C-alpha cells in the first residue's frame, strides 16, 4: 500500500522516533552501498531488527537443540556404522543412548526441526535485510575488538545461510553436496551457533532497550536519506509473519495423516498421495531405487542370517512365521521431517532373535540390508532398542504382508528411532558389542 507523507509515514516510524526529512529532489543519490544514504528504506531501524532478533533467538535455539537430538538419535556412538561425522571429537560430548520412549519422540523432535527451520526463512531474510547497511560500514574495522566482531559476523551470516540452504536442499532431496550432508550440516551448525551465541550475548541488552524505548538519535540503521514508505512497519512485520505462516501451512502437514497431508505442498514426501491399502503410507526409498529384486526376496531365495555368541542361524520367512509373533503400533519418522501416524506392525521381537544366537540380555546389533544403492545399507541399534518388547523384525504391516517398497520380506521397526535405522529388506543381523 502506498501512503502519502501525511498518513502512513507516521506509522512507519515508531514511538519516540524522529522522522528524517525526505530528500530534496535535486539531492544526488549515492552510487555505492558503502554510503549510509544509499540505503533508503524508511522501515529500517533498531526496533524492527530487534523484534526479528528476538524471534530468531527463540527459534534458532530450538533448531540447534533439535538438530543435536537428531544426531544423537542416529546413535553415532555405534561407530563406524552409524557415525556420519567420524571426526566430531569433542563435539560429540553430549551423545547418549537414544531412548525408545515415548515412541513418537523422533517424530516430534525432527518434525519440529524441519518445520521450524522452513518457517523461520522469511524471518532470517528480513533480519538480514534490516541490517544490510551495517555489512557495508567503512572502515571495515575500527579496532581489534571491532575486527573480531566483524569476523564473527561473517561466521554468523555465512553460517546462517549455509545451514538454511543445506537443510532445505536436503529436505527437497536435492543431494548436491560434495560428500555427505551430515558432516556439512553438523559442523556448520556448531560454527553458526557459536557465532550466534556471541552475537546474541552482545546484542540482546541493546535489543531489549530498543524494543522498550526507541531512541532514534542513536539509531545508525535509520536511513539519513529515506524514500517515501510504501508500507507501514506493522505491515512489513505482517508480511514476514504471513510468509512464515504460509510456509508453515504448506509444510507442517507432512507430519500428519489424512487430509492434512495433502496441504504439505512444499514437502516431497508430504503432499504426494502415498497410495491406498495396508501399505499406503510414505516411503523414502523404493525397492527399485535400492536395487532390491523380487527374485532375491522370494520364499525360496531369501534367508535371514543371525550371527552371535553361539554361532550362525539361517531362517526362511516360513521359519520366522513359526516363532512367536507380536504386534506394535509405531510410526515411521524420517530425518527429512515427514512422518506417518502409528502403523500396525507384526513380526518377531528383536530380543527373541538375539536369544536364538545366545543372548538372554540383548546386546547391540548390526543390521545389513539387501539394498545395493543409496545410504544406510547397514545400520546398528543399541542394546536398549533391541531389548524393547515393541522392537520387531516386522513381516506384516496393517494386517498384510509387507509390500516390496516397505521392505518385504522383513524389516526392522523400533520405537522412536529415525526412519533410516529401521532397515528394510533385512538380510543379516550380527548381535554382540559393536
Ligand atoms: C540468524 C541469526 C542472526 C543473524 C544472521 C543476525 C545478523 C545481524 C547482523 C549482520 C547485524 C549487523 C551487525 C553490526 O555490524 O552491527 C545484526 C545486528 C543486530 N542484531 Fe542480529 N542477527 C541474528 C540474530 C540476532 C538475535 C538473536 C538478536 C537478539 C535478540 C539480534 C539482535 C541484533 C541487534 C540489536 C543488532 C543491532 C542493530 C543496531 O545496530 O541497532 N540478532 N544482526
Amino acid at each position: 500500500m502506498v501512503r502519502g507523507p501525511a498518513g502512513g509515514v507516521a506509522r512507519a516510524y515508531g514511538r519516540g522516533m524522529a522522522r528524517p526529512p525526505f530528500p530534496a529532489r535535486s539531492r544526488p543519490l549515492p552510487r555505492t552501498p558503502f554510503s549510509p544514504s544509499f540505503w533508503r528504506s524508511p522501515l529500517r531501524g533498531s526496533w524492527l531488527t530487534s523484534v526479528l532478533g528476538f524471534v530468531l533467538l527463540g527459534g534458532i535455539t530450538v533448531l540447534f537443540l533439535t538438530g543435536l537430538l537428531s544426531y544423537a538419535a542416529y546413535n553415532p556412538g555405534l561407530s563406524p556404522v552409524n557415525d556420519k561425522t567420524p571426526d566430531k571429537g569433542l563435539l560429540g560430548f553430549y551423545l547418549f543412548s537414544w531412548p525408545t520412549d515415548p515412541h513418537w519422540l523422533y517424530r516430534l523432535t525432527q518434525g519440529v526441526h524441519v518445520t521450524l527451520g522452513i518457517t523461520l526463512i522469511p524471518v532470517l531474510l528480513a533480519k538480514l535485510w534490516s541490517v544490510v547497511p551495517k555489512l557495508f560500514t567503512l572502515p571495515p574495522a575500527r579496532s581489534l575488538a571491532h575486527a573480531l566482531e566483524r569476523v564473527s559476523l561473517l561466521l554468523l551470516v555465512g553460517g546462517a545461510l549455509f545451514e538454511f540452504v543445506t537443510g532445505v536442499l536436503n529436505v527437497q532431496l536435492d543431494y548436491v553436496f560434495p560428500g555427505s550432508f551430515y558432516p556439512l550440516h553438523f559442523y556448520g551448525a556448531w560454527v553458526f551457533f557459536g557465532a550466534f551465541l556471541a552475537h546474541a550475548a552482545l546484542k540482546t541488552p541493546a535489543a531489549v532497550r530498543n524494543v522498550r524505548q526507541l531512541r532514534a538519535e542513536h539509531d545508525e540503521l535509520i536511513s539519513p536519506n529515506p524514500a517515501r514508505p510504501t508500507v507501514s512497519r506493522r505491515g512489513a512485520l505482517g508480511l514476514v509473519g504471513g510468509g512464515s505462516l504460509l510456509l508453515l501451512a504448506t509444510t507442517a502437514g507432512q507430519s500428519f495423516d489424512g487430509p492434512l497431508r495433502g496441504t504439505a505442498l512444499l514437502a516431497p514426501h508430504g503432499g504426494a498421495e502415498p497410495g491406498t491399502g495396508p501399505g499406503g503410507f510414505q516411503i523414502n526409498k523404493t525397492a527399485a531405487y535400492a536395487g532390491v529384486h523380487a527374485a532375491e526376496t522370494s520364499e525360496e531365495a531369501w534367508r535371514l542370517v543371525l550371527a552371535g555368541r553361539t554361532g550362525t542361524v539361517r531362517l526362511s520367512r516360513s521359519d520366522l512365521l513359526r516363532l512367536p509373533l507380536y504386534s506394535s503400533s509405531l510410526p515411521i519418522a524420517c530425518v527429512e521431517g515427514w512422518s506417518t501416524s502409528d502403523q500396525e506392525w507384526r513380526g518377531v521381537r528383536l530380543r527373541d532373535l538375539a536369544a536364538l544366537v545366545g543372548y538372554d540380555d540383548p546386546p547391540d546389533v548390526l543390521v545389513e540390508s539387501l539394498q545395493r544403492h543409496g545410504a544406510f545399507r547397514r545400520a546398528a541399534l543399541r542394546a536398549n532398542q533391541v531389548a524393547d518388547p515393541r522392537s520387531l523384525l516386522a513381516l506384516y504391516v496393517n494386517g498384510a504382508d509387507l509390500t516390496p517398497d516397505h521392505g518385504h520380506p522383513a524389516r526392522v521397526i523400533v520405537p522412536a528411532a529415525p526412519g533410516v535405522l529401521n532397515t528394510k529388506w533385512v538380510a543379516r543381523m550380527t548381535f554382540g558389542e559393536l
Side-chain angles (χ1 to χ4, degrees), residues 311-335:
T312 301
V313 175
R314 285 167 65 85
L315 300 169
S316 67
R317 200 162 185 273
S318 310
D319 296 331
L320 286 168
L321 289 172
R322 281 191 284 274
L323 295 173
L325 299 184
Y326 297 87
S327 296
S328 296
S329 280
L330 298 172
I332 296 279
C334 182
V335 67

Side-chain angles (χ1 to χ4, degrees), residues 45-47 49-50 52-58 60 124 127-128 131-132 134-135 137 146 149-150 153 156-157 160 164 192 196 199-200 203-204 206-208 210 218-221:
S46 299
W47 184 88
T49 298
S50 301
L52 295 168
F54 279 120
V55 178
L56 291 173
L57 186 61
I60 286 186
L124 176 71
K127 175 77 179 13
L128 291 176
V131 294
V132 76
K134 292 253 184 178
L135 298 180
T137 315
H146 189 229
E149 198 201 333
R150 307 276 330 216
L153 284 180
L156 176 71
V157 176
F164 278 77
F192 166 50
F196 177 83
H199 182 73
K203 300 290 186 186
T204 301
V208 171
N210 293 336
H218 296 130
D219 195 334
E220 292 172 10
L221 284 174

Side-chain angles (χ1 to χ4, degrees), residues 364-376:
D364 302 338
V365 65
L366 170 66
V367 185
E368 291 167 90
S369 170
L370 291 173
Q371 189 184 324
R372 288 191 183 80
H373 309 299
F376 286 94

